[in-house]
Amino acid sequence: MQEEQPRLLMGVVAPATNISVQPEMEALRPPGVINAHARIPNPDRAVTSDADTLAVRASMVAGLNAALDTLAPAAPGHVVLGVMAENFVGGGAAGQKLVAECAARIGCRVTDYTSAILAALDVMFGRRIRLSLLTPFMPVGDAAARALFEDAGHEVVRLIGLKAPGPAAIARIPRERILQSVRDLAGPEVEAIIQVGTNSSFRALAREMEAELGTPVLAANPVLYWRALRQEGIADAMPQHGRLFTL
């Protein structure tokens, strides 16, 4: 008996230093969707300054095409870019150009964080909102993250940058530090708390903090995966992953 064809083969690209994208996106798969993962070769170098951040970005951009080429023989129907720095540092038109180049190279639609989070906010709120941001970045990354939302008309009320000392260190930021940072970002004027940085295992923490604070908390990896599914017409309601997955 011939097995049914999968509903979607989802290509997922993440840096070699990233240990959070793969398990989080595997946990988000609806029935019939297969994830095919590829790695961007990038060194785990120290990040102590904005200049270091820019160097890390350059190394990841240089390896992105190689990662896409390893996915090409599987012929994915969609690709998720599970990486943040390219879209924030040097984002805007440069980020859009990068995403377009990726789509042309792999031959299918590509979801990046910028388009995903703005679409999520439009679906959830239908208007511009006041929000808080949690990032793992140095100030240059924080500024670019802030600009992403402000350029779209949202107001960034508070921002906490955790200043992880390297790409791999993002995944090792202590849980209690993250939780306390989210609490510090909350307030009666804050309509949503948004976490950026795909190497933070934040999917379950977002649900936990949302229940504690009564404020929507949007984690990077679920937002990316939700957007990619919806782009391909897969609209399964999965409330266990948060309100976004019911919309």
Side-chain angles (χ1 to χ4, degrees):
M1 183 175 176
Q2 187 174 5
E3 293 185 4
E4 292 185 8
Q5 291 296 310
R7 299 165 74 190
L8 176 65
L9 178 61
M10 184 83 80
V12 180
V13 177
T17 50
N18 189 307
I19 62 170
S20 298
V21 162
Q22 184 166 349
E24 292 214 320
M25 293 194 180
E26 283 297 311
L28 293 164
R29 284 189 307 116
V33 175
I34 296 172
N35 291 345
H37 293 270
R39 294 287 179 168
I40 300 169
N42 72 305
D44 184 26
R45 58 174 292 164
V47 175
T48 59
S49 67
D50 288 348
D52 293 335
T53 299
L54 294 171
V56 168
R57 174 187 180 261
S59 71
M60 284 197 287
V61 171
L64 182 55
N65 285 343
L68 290 170
D69 290 346
T70 68
L71 278 177
H78 198 103
V79 170
V80 176
L81 296 183
V83 61
M84 307 294 299
E86 293 90 331
N87 298 323
F88 280 172
V89 184
Q96 292 171 14
K97 180 174 181 289
L98 179 66
V99 172
E101 290 170 350
C102 289
R105 190 176 189 93
I106 195 67
C108 65
R109 282 186 284 201
V110 171
T111 290
D112 66 300
Y113 181 74
T114 299
S115 63
I117 188 59
L118 295 181
L121 292 176
D122 283 346
V123 167
M124 291 185 72
F125 296 96
R127 57 179 171 79
R128 302 302 175 248
I129 67 167
R130 305 180 77 190
L131 57 88
S132 291
L133 290 179
L134 178 66
T135 94
F137 303 136
M138 291 290 170
V140 67
D142 293 343
R146 178 187 291 275
L148 184 163
F149 294 96
E150 291 182 344
D151 288 350
H154 300 287
E155 180 181 351
V156 179
V157 178
R158 299 188 184 93
L159 185 151
I160 295 176
L162 298 175
K163 297 181 176 61
I170 293 171
R172 297 193 293 268
I173 297 172
R175 167 186 165 89
E176 285 307 317
R177 185 183 176 200
I178 294 174
L179 292 177
Q180 187 55 54
S181 295
V182 175
R183 293 184 183 109
D184 292 342
L185 288 168
E189 76 281 28
V190 175
E191 297 176 85
I193 297 170
I194 297 175
Q195 174 262 339
V196 301
T198 61
N199 200 15
S200 179
S201 185
F202 198 79
R203 181 181 63 89
L205 292 183
R207 304 280 68 77
E208 180 180 335
M209 296 308 296
E210 192 168 89
E212 175 184 321
L213 299 170
T215 299
V217 180
L218 295 173
N221 290 324
V223 165
L224 275 163
Y225 205 81
W226 165 83
R227 175 63 170 167
L229 290 175
R230 297 301 188 260
Q231 286 276 88
E232 297 304 326
I234 297 176
D236 301 35
M238 298 187 287
Q240 69 272 28
H241 299 314
R243 178 172 169 248
L244 186 60
F245 281 82
T246 69
L247 303 176

